[in-house]
Amino acid sequence: ELPDGGARPNVAQFKQLVVSALRELHGEVGAALPVDVLTYEEKTLSAILRVISSGLVKLWSALTLLGFYQNRRCAFRVLQTSPFLLALSGNSRELVL
């Protein structure tokens, strides 16, 4: 979330933001964590990230504690986590029978 509007990061800038958040909190070891951006929507600023299960806590904590992007306030919201990619394709709570 970027509450003040302005320029939105493209996919490369978003990936760099994730890596820099990991580096800031966990150092070079955190920055070396393999994180893939599977999808990224620049309009909605939403993404699906893939990380190994042992790195989930490091990634989540780094994103949660990141507060600025290019000297502007920002916030990450984790909407879902799953060990299976297919589980992220739909929301069972919104299922209409």
Side-chain angles (χ1 to χ4, degrees):
E1 295 178 8
L2 292 169
D4 62 354
R8 296 171 180 266
N10 62 30
V11 68
Q13 293 168 328
F14 180 79
K15 171 71 185 245
Q16 184 59 38
L17 180 61
V18 170
V19 171
S20 65
L22 284 163
R23 180 176 289 115
E24 186 176 316
L25 187 62
H26 300 289
E28 291 301 319
V29 173
L33 185 68
V35 177
D36 298 318
V37 179
L38 299 180
T39 64
Y40 175 68
E41 291 288 330
E42 193 171 329
K43 292 178 184 176
T44 60
L45 295 174
S46 60
I48 295 178
L49 303 177
R50 179 174 59 188
V51 65
I52 57 174
S53 59
S54 62
L56 177 63
V57 173
K58 285 183 181 177
L59 176 63
W60 197 331
S61 61
L63 294 179
T64 301
L65 294 174
L66 186 70
F68 289 92
Y69 168 70
Q70 293 182 346
N71 296 325
R72 298 183 328 199
R73 298 206 52 77
C74 73
F76 281 87
R77 306 280 182 245
V78 178
L79 302 177
Q80 282 184 304
T81 64
S82 176
F84 308 107
L85 188 57
L86 185 59
L88 299 176
S89 66
N91 185 347
S92 63
R93 293 184 177 125
E94 297 175 356
L95 183 63
V96 177
L97 298 176

